[in-house]
Amino acid sequence: MDFRLTEDQTALRAATRELLARLYPPERLREDAADCGPPRLDRELWRALGDAGLFSLRLPEAEGGVGLGMPEAVLVFEEAGRALLPGPLVATHLAAGTVPGAAAGQVVVTVVDGGTAEWLEEADCVVEGFGEPAVPGPYPARTEPVRSVDPLTPLHRVPHDGAGGRAASEAELLTCAQQIGSAARTLELAVQHARTREQFGRPIGSFQAVKHLCADMLVRLEMARTAVYAAAVTGLPEEHFAAMLLAREAAGRNARDCLQVFGGMGFTWEAEVHLHIKRGWVLGLRGRSDRSYEEAVAEQLTKGAEWSF
Amino acid sequence: MDLTCTEAEEAFRHELRSWLARVLPALPPRPDPADWPARRAYDTGWQRTLYDAGYADLHWNAPPTRRLIFLEETERAGAPYVGANFVGLLHAGPTIAAEGTDGQRERWLPGILRGEQVWCQGFSEPEAGSDLAALRTRAVRDGDDYVVSGSKIWTSHAEVADWCELLVRTDPDAPRHRGITWLAMPMDAPGITVRPVRTLAGTTEFAEVFLDEVRVPAANRVGAENDGWRVTMVTLSFERGTAFVGEVVACRRVLAEVVGHAKETGAWDDDAVLRRRLARLAIEFGVLWRLIQWNVSAGAPGVGGSVFKLRYSQARQELYDAAAQVLGPGAAALDAGHPWIADRLSSLSYTIAAGTSQIQKNIIAERILGLPKGA
């Protein structure tokens, strides 16, 4: 038993972070958000992500993929979440190997699952739910564009009953990974600000109230990250439910606490904080309700068996 | 990231499990918690049993995964706690093993491992609680001895200990952290007075220790003079990281019992809020268990130690609060046939002992996140 990241995993994470810092730095994120029109998906960026293996990561090498597993995918999607990379990343990743062109980032795949669809107008291909295999369906009828709260995630309302299955839980876990990445970024932003912003003649990070906000953010992040990594490694249902609840909370609460540390400056459109809050709300719609995960865990408890972890 | 046990680790688990099944039924009944000599005899007897079976030194001499398995399996089987051996096995022993001379290791470690010597901890003082570096107990060199005067508090097992791992101030003029020395003080030395402290749980779990010109041989100093702070910190971070492994397993068992009780009363089926509250606790303890594995894999629990300490102490309190809710009117009775209410009282110390939650947050903010010291 060794829970640490392997050397390869550490290298993969570092390489992904470096790549995204180049392809989609925070300045670019703020520029994109400053545009008032409906967001456009940057095809060149999408292809670059395809070239980097973000979509083909878990495809077997024989099929032109990288041949890695869920733990590695989680590390990569955590970095995507940290950069707040826009686009239907999870849907395209899960369609790699079944939808031609998805793996290479030449085709943008989105999913219609559970009432809202992301990036419907920009997508080349729409997948019906996260059943297996990913089946390209017709462009859904009776869709209704929504004024999305997240300026970088266009949404449509779609009449649909989600199809569950293994891929659905994979989609959930990759979403968790994005959420912990976002929680890590808002912690980083809050700490940077607390170190440099001065009030009463000293950095606000020297005040214990601010320190404790930041410490709470770190604790929340580390617990959620532990849960997500464990779920990626074991695939156990109870670990999966734990990851869903903790990652969702970490993204939401950390973004809010980050705003609190920034104060009035965080309440402006130019700041990065609101983009994390809003993306957190959109990502939080994926998967089931908190209550449903809690009840699922409760059901596990009634089986009386001690958890295997 | 590999969470499966190797074949060797699994073999060790099974060997341990069958050994526990053999020895536990033969154990004498647990002593009255108020009877310190009986507690000492029971705890050290258990340590001797472990020693004879070759399991005594797992706390500091084994690969971390084996230590985890040991703690997990002994707790699962309902084996005795480390009890009076706690400071020896988890603090003084590892400190001597890491920082002592060969002679000191030979002098003290076998007695700890065989359950012959009980240690207590003389760190905190009435005026040095959260601010441990403010300790004022003085040690003045006189020939081959240090002459020690001052007082210590929260000293568990002081009434029955043979040795005390003592922090003293040897240089009053040095910066606070740089004038401290680590000594092993024999508890039968003239000038030591032990006064038990009654806790809010009604128990006397620890004591005040008054030191009046106690002579401690300089040969009992571990590490260099004035280097005691560094010597001590080695084991304190260890405590936050892994010392509570068995307790997390125990909390999961208590949670299962609480769920069972809620099912019996019908509350489980009727009360969705209670059900979800208990599910949340199951998640918390499950993730804390994984965090321990993370910390142990990482070797020294850096970030993970304080994270674990904060969340575990809170979760433990919430567990017993939930137990009280399930008990309903029985939550006011200390003699209801289960220890939940007594444990609820003792759980109140968890967010205070070994560094309060607020101190842990300061540690995280300053040492991990690099925020400036100050207000």
Side-chain angles (χ1 to χ4, degrees):
Chain A
M1 190 209 77
D2 188 345
F3 200 168
R4 280 174 305 180
L5 271 61
T6 62
E7 275 178 36
D8 285 352
Q9 288 170 336
T10 308
L12 174 69
R13 175 159 70 183
T16 308
R17 188 172 300 185
E18 209 177 306
L19 175 85
L20 293 180
R22 214 173 47 244
L23 289 179
Y24 205 75
E27 304 76 52
R28 168 78 196 275
L29 170 68
R30 286 196 298 270
E31 271 167 37
D32 282 1
D35 284 345
C36 292
R40 310 286 308 174
L41 198 70
D42 180 346
R43 296 287 173 150
E44 203 180 322
L45 173 67
W46 209 249
R47 276 191 296 275
L49 296 174
D51 290 341
L54 187 123
F55 304 123
S56 61
L57 195 72
R58 292 187 308 132
L59 266 190
E61 287 178 73
E63 295 174 40
V66 190
L68 293 172
M70 203 53 173
E72 288 79 16
V74 157
L75 293 173
V76 167
F77 272 73
E78 183 180 345
E79 293 307 316
R82 177 193 289 270
L84 218 58
L85 205 56
L89 298 162
V90 172
T92 303
H93 173 94
L94 287 172
T98 51
V99 174
Q106 285 149 346
V107 168
V108 176
V109 183
T110 192
V111 66
V112 175
D113 188 29
T116 52
E118 301 172 13
W119 292 96
L120 205 51
E121 284 176 23
E122 295 280 304
D124 306 307
C125 166
V126 180
V127 173
E128 284 273 338
F130 281 114
E132 283 217 279
V135 184
Y139 190 86
R142 294 179 295 117
T143 64
E144 197 187 326
V146 178
R147 272 191 63 210
S148 174
V149 68
D150 175 3
L152 293 177
T153 310
L155 294 173
H156 280 70
R157 227 176 254 120
V158 183
H160 179 77
D161 302 321
R166 189 177 63 85
S169 72
E170 288 177 352
E172 288 183 347
L173 200 55
L174 293 172
T175 300
C176 285
Q178 288 178 285
Q179 286 165 325
I180 57 173
S182 168
R185 174 63 179 161
T186 50
L187 169 62
E188 187 177 54
L189 286 168
V191 169
Q192 279 170 0
H193 185 76
R195 275 194 198 142
T196 50
R197 165 74 175 167
E198 293 201 2
Q199 287 290 274
F200 308 98
R202 55 175 187 243
I204 60 169
S206 67
F207 294 108
Q208 220 168 54
V210 176
K211 268 184 202 181
H212 287 193
L213 269 179
C214 293
D216 285 339
M217 290 172 79
L218 175 115
V219 169
R220 227 180 266 128
L221 167 66
E222 290 296 326
M223 287 289 286
R225 186 181 270 149
T226 303
V228 173
Y229 289 2
V233 171
T234 68
L236 292 169
E238 57 268 26
E239 303 230 51
H240 180 82
F241 305 142
M244 288 303 291
L245 287 162
L246 266 58
R248 198 179 265 174
E249 267 164 29
R253 286 293 340 159
N254 275 21
R256 297 280 277 272
D257 285 352
C258 178
L259 174 59
Q260 192 65 26
V261 170
F262 270 80
M265 294 183 203
F267 198 70
T268 62
W269 195 271
E270 294 88 85
E272 196 181 319
V273 185
H274 73 109
L275 300 172
H276 284 273
I277 292 175
K278 292 165 179 178
R279 185 68 53 85
W281 288 354
V282 170
L283 294 187
L285 294 174
R286 296 185 190 165
R288 298 180 308 185
S289 68
D290 287 7
R291 180 176 165 168
S292 137
Y293 293 120
E294 286 163 357
E295 288 287 12
V297 172
E299 199 180 333
Q300 298 265 359
L301 277 174
T302 58
K303 290 175 183 164
E306 213 182 326
W307 280 12
S308 43
F309 77 94
Chain B
M1 290 191 271
D2 180 7
L3 288 167
T4 51
C5 283
T6 62
E7 265 182 47
E9 286 163 357
E10 278 304 327
F12 174 67
R13 184 189 295 279
H14 285 290
E15 165 210 316
L16 189 59
R17 212 174 263 189
S18 54
W19 178 78
L20 286 163
R22 270 203 319 279
V23 299
L24 290 183
L27 279 187
R30 299 213 172 188
D32 173 359
D35 184 346
W36 276 99
R39 275 174 71 172
R40 178 196 155 115
Y42 183 87
D43 294 346
T44 53
W46 172 241
Q47 181 60 28
R48 179 73 208 199
T49 307
L50 288 171
Y51 177 82
D52 291 340
Y55 296 133
D57 64 345
L58 281 166
H59 287 292
W60 74 81
N61 251 353
T65 310
R66 268 170 98 89
R67 191 170 74 233
L68 272 188
I69 292 170
F70 171 80
L71 292 164
E72 191 179 357
E73 289 301 324
T74 46
E75 178 52 48
R76 192 173 272 168
Y81 290 119
V82 64
N85 310 303
F86 183 88
V87 174
L89 283 173
L90 291 160
H91 275 280
T95 302
I96 294 162
E99 301 286 335
T101 62
D102 285 348
Q104 289 173 330
R105 281 196 280 270
E106 280 164 37
R107 180 181 175 193
W108 284 308
L109 296 186
I112 293 171
L113 294 176
R114 286 197 294 258
E116 290 157 5
Q117 308 268 286
V118 167
W119 287 67
C120 62
Q121 187 181 70
F123 285 9
S124 300
E125 297 180 8
E127 298 300 318
S130 290
D131 187 11
L132 182 59
L135 62 92
R136 294 194 302 209
T137 293
R138 285 291 317 276
V140 180
R141 188 68 184 256
D142 179 27
D144 290 340
D145 295 333
Y146 287 101
V147 179
V148 183
S149 292
S151 70
K152 296 288 176 179
I153 196 166
W154 318 131
T155 310
S156 303
H157 310 287
E159 295 96 321
V160 293
D162 306 287
W163 293 94
C164 177
E165 54 164 353
L166 191 70
L167 289 183
V168 293
R169 185 160 302 283
T170 34
D171 183 353
D173 303 321
R176 298 175 347 135
H177 297 85
R178 298 210 193 107
I180 293 169
T181 299
W182 196 104
L183 298 175
M185 177 178 73
M187 287 298 284
D188 57 1
I192 299 177
T193 311
V194 174
R195 186 192 300 158
V197 175
R198 190 161 182 232
T199 72
L200 65 75
T203 55
T204 50
E205 280 304 302
F206 30 63
E208 273 190 284
V209 179
F210 299 93
L211 308 169
D212 183 15
E213 301 203 341
V214 181
R215 295 190 83 86
V216 180
N220 291 15
R221 188 187 70 225
V222 170
E225 187 170 284
N226 298 327
D227 195 29
W229 185 260
R230 188 193 58 79
V231 169
T232 304
M233 285 305 126
V234 173
T235 33
L236 277 189
S237 68
F238 172 84
E239 173 184 57
R240 287 175 198 139
T242 53
F244 297 102
V245 171
E247 289 195 12
V248 172
V249 179
C251 283
R252 294 172 82 171
R253 196 185 56 237
V254 171
L255 180 62
E257 289 166 7
V258 172
V259 169
H261 193 88
K263 276 198 268 186
E264 279 169 33
T265 64
W268 178 263
D269 292 322
D270 299 344
D271 187 345
V273 176
L274 171 70
R275 226 174 20 239
R276 288 164 54 196
R277 181 181 184 184
L278 296 174
R280 277 279 173 170
L281 281 164
I283 286 169
E284 189 73 8
F285 287 119
V287 176
L288 284 167
W289 178 243
R290 286 295 186 212
L291 184 62
I292 289 172
Q293 292 179 322
W294 181 269
N295 290 346
V296 165
S297 298
V303 183
S306 286
V307 172
F308 177 85
K309 163 73 164 85
L310 271 166
R311 288 286 279 243
Y312 169 62
S313 53
Q314 192 184 343
R316 186 180 177 96
Q317 290 174 359
E318 287 171 8
L319 168 66
Y320 286 106
D321 289 346
Q325 187 193 340
V326 168
L327 287 173
L334 280 161
D335 55 354
H338 50 68
W340 294 350
I341 301 313
D343 288 342
R344 188 187 193 193
L345 288 169
S346 66
S347 80
L348 297 172
S349 73
Y350 274 67
T351 45
I352 299 167
T356 67
S357 296
Q358 289 63 38
I359 291 288
Q360 300 295 341
K361 288 183 188 184
N362 288 352
I363 290 171
I364 289 171
E366 290 168 12
R367 290 188 215 162
I368 299 166
L369 298 175
L371 291 172
K373 285 190 182 292

